[in-house]
Amino acid sequence: MKNKQDTSRGDLSQTSQRLNWEKSHIMPYTIPNKSCVGCDNCRPQCPTGAIKIENNEYWIDPCLCNNCEGYYPEPKCVIACPTKSPIPWQAKKGRCKVEPRDATSPDLFSNGKNNPFASAIVIWEACNVLAQRTSLKWEIDATGYLSYSRKVNQGKGAIAFHIQHPYQVNEYAKDISAIEVLDIRAACIHLIFAAHATALDKPWEEEFTIDERQLEKYLGLEKRKDLSKIAKLALMKNLVQQTCSLNISIDWPQQGRVKGFSVQNSRLWHLVKVQNHFQEDDLGCKYLIGLTFTIKTGIWAQHFLNKQACKERTGFYQYGSLPKTVLTTVMSIWQQHEGAVRLMLWLLFKTKMGKEQRITVPTLLRIAYGEAKVSLASKYREERKRLLRTFENDLEVLNHLGIKPIFDPITYPLEIQPLWAKLVDIPEDPDEALEFWINDAGGETRLTDNGPRGKWNLLMNARILAFELPPEWERQISESEKKQRRTARVRRKNQTANDLVGEQILQARKTLNLSQRELAKLTGKSQSWIRDVENGRLKAKLEDQAILRKVLNIA
C-alpha cells in the first residue's frame, strides 16, 4: 500500500509544482531606474539570479524572480537596497508598444496544417526523454552523472542523454530531481526546433531565430486569456531552456556506405542567445514584453539531417510531417491525459515507419505510464483496474482526436475491447438502434457486460494492428517524389505479378485437405505465420513462396 500512495502523491506533487511555478511568476519585483543608485548590493544577494545589468541599467527578469519564495521570508533585493528601490511588478495594462526587432526565421505551418520536421532516432528519443521523463531507466554512468541510454541498430550502436544541471551550466545533473522538474510541454518546443532545422541547408552550421509571438501561435497560447503576458513569457522561456538542457552522445555503426561515427557530449540544441524586449514606464521600470531565441542545431544534424550527404549516400536526411494540432493538443490536455499525450508523441514517430505497425498492449502501457506502474498493476488488483480504466480512457481520447486504433480481432477480440469501441457500430437511426439493443439484450453476452475474468492476462497478449491517422498527419509529397514513387510502384508491380497471395495459399491448402497446423509442420513455419499469410497480414518472402509452391503443388 505504501508504494501505491507514494506513486500517486509523486504524480500530484509534480503537477502542483508546475501549476505553482506558473502562478508564482505573476507578481515578481522590478527596479525603477530613476531611484536606483547602481550600488550593486542587490545582485549578489538574489538566489535565482534574476537581477541583471543591461546598458548600465539594472532590471529584474520576471521569468526568474519569485520574490525569494522558498529562500528567504522577504525579498533580499529590498533588504540590500539602500534606497529600497525594488517594488512589486504591476501587470501592464493596455497594449504593449511594438518596437522594431530583428527578423526571425520564417513562420512554420504555411499551409495551416503541418510542416516538415527532423524525425531521426535522435529526435525521437529526445522527445521520449521530455515526454516520459522519470518513467525511463535513468542510471549513474561511469563519470558519475545521470544518464539515459538505449541500444540502436540491433545493439550495434547506442545513444545516451545527459541533462544539463539547471544552475551549473557546465555540469551535468547527478540527481533524479533534475528529471522530475522537466515539463512534458517542452516536447512541443523540441518538435518546433526540429521543424525549423529542416528549413536550413546546413543546420549544424546555421542558426535560426524564433520569438514569443511565433511560439504563442504554434502552441495556441494566444487563446489562453487566463494567463498574463508575463506568465506566458516565463512559461515559454522555461520550456526553451529545458529543451536546450539535453546533451547527447552517439555511437553509430557503419550502415551501407555510411561510415560509422561518434558524437560525444554534444548539445542537442544550443541556446545561443536570448534577447529580451522591454518597454519602460515613467519611473524607468522595465517591463518585459517579448523574447527572441537564437538556436543552433547540434552536430548530430551533420549525420541525420544532411541533404548533400544523403544524395551521396554517405549520410542520412530523415524527416517526417509535424501536424500543428499535435502541439495545440499537447498544450491543452497535458494535465488531464498525460498518458494520451505520451502515446500521441510516440506514435508521431512510430507511424512514420509504416502504417502496418502491429503494437502490443504492454508496449503501449509502458510508453503511456512507465514500467513501474505496469509492474505494480500486475501485482495489485486495484492498481490493475485503475490502470486499465485510464488506458481505455486515453485510447478514447486518441480516437476522438482522429488517431483511431484498429484492434486485432484475434488477440484483441470484442469482449476485451473498451466499451466506447463496442458502441461505435450502434446505428444512428432510432428504430434501428432500438432493434440493435433488443437483440443485444437477448443474446448470451451484452455490450455493457463487464470484461471477462483474466482480462489483464488477455490484454498482455493483445495487439493493435495499426492506428488510422488524421489527414494532417500525412506528409506532403512533392511532384518529384510522386514521380519517383510511381516509378517504384510500377517496378514493384512487375516484380510481384507472379507472387503468391493469401487466397491462393488458402485454396491450395483446402484442396489438399490440410489444416493450418499440418501446413505449418510441412513448411517449417508456425501456425500463426500460416494464418497471417492467408489473411493477407503478412507477405511471404520469395524463398518461403518457393517452399509453399512445392508443398502445395502450385505451379
Side-chain angles (χ1 to χ4, degrees):
M1 291 299 292
K2 184 178 177 182
N3 288 338
K4 290 190 279 183
Q5 289 175 355
D6 290 347
T7 303
S8 60
R9 283 174 186 167
D11 292 343
L12 287 171
S13 65
Q14 286 183 30
T15 303
S16 61
Q17 280 175 9
R18 292 194 186 104
L19 291 174
N20 290 336
W21 180 88
E22 289 177 15
K23 290 177 182 176
S24 68
H25 285 72
I26 294 175
M27 284 297 290
Y29 271 64
T30 185
I31 299 175
N33 278 301
K34 290 186 178 180
S35 60
C36 176
V37 294
C39 65
D40 201 41
N41 289 347
C42 58
R43 193 165 57 89
Q45 300 289 332
C46 180
T48 62
I51 302 175
K52 300 178 180 180
I53 304 174
E54 191 161 318
N55 298 327
N56 295 321
E57 291 183 343
Y58 285 78
W59 71 284
I60 298 178
D61 188 344
C63 300
L64 297 176
C65 177
N66 69 342
N67 305 349
C68 293
E69 222 173 276
Y71 296 98
Y72 305 105
E74 57 181 307
K76 267 288 188 179
C77 58
V78 178
I79 299 172
C81 181
T83 59
K84 305 298 180 190
S85 285
I87 59 174
W89 187 93
Q90 298 297 321
K92 194 158 185 338
K93 296 180 180 180
R95 294 188 177 184
C96 297
K97 183 181 177 183
V98 179
E99 295 182 354
R101 299 187 190 181
D102 294 338
T104 59
S105 298
D107 285 356
L108 304 176
F109 309 108
S110 57
N111 63 2
K113 296 179 180 179
N114 48 31
N115 201 93
F117 82 116
S119 60
I121 187 69
V122 174
I123 299 297
W124 187 0
E125 282 304 323
C127 190
N128 288 338
V129 167
L130 293 170
Q132 298 174 41
R133 305 182 304 285
T134 54
S135 295
L136 299 175
K137 192 175 181 182
W138 292 87
E139 297 175 334
I140 300 296
D141 65 9
T143 59
Y145 297 113
L146 203 61
S147 171
Y148 162 70
S149 62
R150 60 153 290 180
K151 299 292 184 181
V152 294
N153 277 4
Q154 292 81 44
K156 298 175 184 177
I159 295 178
F161 288 91
H162 291 89
I163 300 290
Q164 208 74 27
H165 194 285
Y167 303 116
Q168 299 173 19
V169 180
N170 297 319
E171 192 173 326
Y172 296 146
K174 297 181 179 180
D175 192 83
I176 196 68
S177 60
I179 314 300
E180 290 172 346
V181 298
L182 290 177
D183 193 314
I184 194 170
R185 292 171 290 180
C188 293
I189 303 294
H190 169 65
L191 295 174
I192 290 169
F193 288 176
H196 272 289
T198 57
L200 305 176
D201 289 329
K202 294 183 178 180
W204 60 93
E205 293 179 358
E206 303 170 63
E207 299 172 349
F208 61 86
T209 56
I210 183 170
D211 67 11
E212 92 289 348
R213 295 172 295 189
Q214 291 173 304
L215 288 177
E216 267 191 304
K217 189 164 54 175
Y218 303 152
L219 301 175
L221 286 175
E222 78 272 28
K223 299 176 183 176
R224 291 288 303 272
K225 305 304 180 187
D226 58 318
L227 293 178
S228 65
K229 179 71 174 178
I230 195 61
K232 291 178 184 179
L233 290 173
L235 173 62
M236 287 185 280
K237 186 173 184 179
N238 183 49
L239 296 180
V240 168
Q241 288 174 332
Q242 286 187 18
T243 305
C244 295
S245 70
L246 295 182
N247 280 57
I248 189 168
S249 297
I250 308 170
D251 286 313
W252 199 265
Q254 182 165 342
Q255 219 174 330
R257 288 171 57 181
V258 180
K259 295 180 180 179
F261 58 87
S262 178
V263 174
Q264 296 301 319
N265 302 325
S266 169
R267 285 289 182 100
L268 186 71
W269 306 106
H270 296 268
L271 181 55
V272 179
K273 183 174 65 175
V274 180
Q275 188 178 357
N276 303 288
H277 304 290
F278 301 103
Q279 187 172 338
E280 283 194 25
D281 63 9
D282 296 336
L283 295 174
C285 294
K286 286 189 172 183
Y287 288 89
L288 187 67
I289 60 170
L291 295 166
T292 298
F293 304 97
T294 303
I295 310 294
K296 187 178 179 183
T297 308
I299 197 64
W300 62 266
Q302 189 172 2
H303 304 285
F304 294 102
L305 204 63
N306 192 327
K307 292 180 182 178
Q308 186 60 35
C310 185
K311 289 178 182 177
E312 298 168 355
R313 296 188 179 180
T314 58
F316 305 104
Y317 187 76
Q318 298 173 335
Y319 71 101
S321 180
L322 174 63
K324 188 179 180 182
T325 52
V326 167
L327 305 177
T328 54
T329 300
V330 171
M331 296 299 291
S332 61
I333 69 170
W334 67 278
Q335 286 174 267
Q336 299 88 349
H337 301 286
E338 184 174 324
V341 168
R342 288 182 174 193
L343 288 173
M344 181 171 61
L345 292 171
W346 185 77
L347 287 169
L348 179 64
F349 295 88
K350 180 69 173 176
T351 52
K352 171 187 156 301
M353 300 168 66
K355 292 183 180 179
E356 296 301 322
Q357 289 288 328
R358 290 189 285 180
I359 307 168
T360 63
V361 168
T363 297
L364 294 174
L365 289 173
R366 284 194 295 271
I367 296 298
Y369 314 109
E371 187 71 52
K373 284 190 178 180
V374 176
S375 298
L376 200 64
S378 63
K379 296 176 184 176
Y380 300 102
R381 184 169 178 268
E382 286 304 313
E383 288 293 331
R384 188 155 56 242
K385 288 168 64 177
R386 185 179 294 112
L387 190 65
L388 284 181
R389 280 198 302 269
T390 305
F391 176 62
E392 293 182 346
N393 189 26
D394 285 334
L395 280 184
E396 185 177 11
V397 170
L398 291 179
N399 186 73
H400 179 71
L401 294 169
I403 309 168
K404 301 180 179 181
I406 302 173
F407 301 100
D408 180 8
I410 297 169
T411 63
Y412 210 148
L414 195 65
E415 55 265 26
I416 63 171
Q417 289 178 19
L419 179 60
W420 62 263
K422 299 177 185 178
L423 300 178
V424 167
D425 296 327
I426 296 177
E428 293 184 6
D429 181 77
D431 294 331
E432 292 179 3
L434 179 61
E435 185 178 353
F436 175 89
W437 284 114
I438 291 172
N439 293 334
D440 180 71
E444 293 182 4
T445 59
R446 299 169 182 81
L447 286 181
T448 53
D449 285 346
N450 291 327
R453 289 181 64 85
K455 180 178 176 179
W456 174 263
N457 294 328
L458 292 172
L459 282 171
M460 290 301 99
N461 296 307
R463 297 180 300 189
I464 288 177
L465 295 178
F467 281 85
E468 287 184 12
L469 301 176
E472 61 268 21
W473 280 51
E474 299 295 335
R475 183 167 66 86
Q476 300 297 315
I477 303 172
S478 64
E479 285 301 318
S480 60
E481 284 182 296
K482 286 179 182 177
K483 287 179 182 178
Q484 290 174 2
R485 290 193 175 191
R486 278 197 295 267
T487 305
R489 201 178 298 121
V490 169
R491 285 176 185 165
R492 283 198 301 270
K493 200 169 183 180
N494 293 335
Q495 289 172 355
T496 59
N498 297 320
D499 282 355
L500 275 179
V501 295
E503 192 175 340
Q504 281 179 282
I505 298 168
L506 176 63
Q507 292 300 325
R509 177 175 64 79
K510 288 184 175 179
T511 301
L512 295 175
N513 200 24
L514 292 172
S515 66
Q516 288 183 341
R517 180 175 295 181
E518 290 169 335
L519 180 57
K521 286 182 180 179
L522 290 171
T523 56
K525 297 290 184 180
S526 67
Q527 185 179 347
S528 62
W529 185 85
I530 297 294
R531 181 189 64 227
D532 287 346
V533 168
E534 288 186 349
N535 290 339
R537 293 197 190 100
L538 285 180
K539 181 183 175 183
K541 296 178 181 178
L542 291 176
E543 54 268 30
D544 293 329
Q545 288 185 36
I547 296 171
L548 286 167
R549 286 180 187 277
K550 186 175 180 181
V551 171
L552 297 172
N553 298 323
I554 301 174

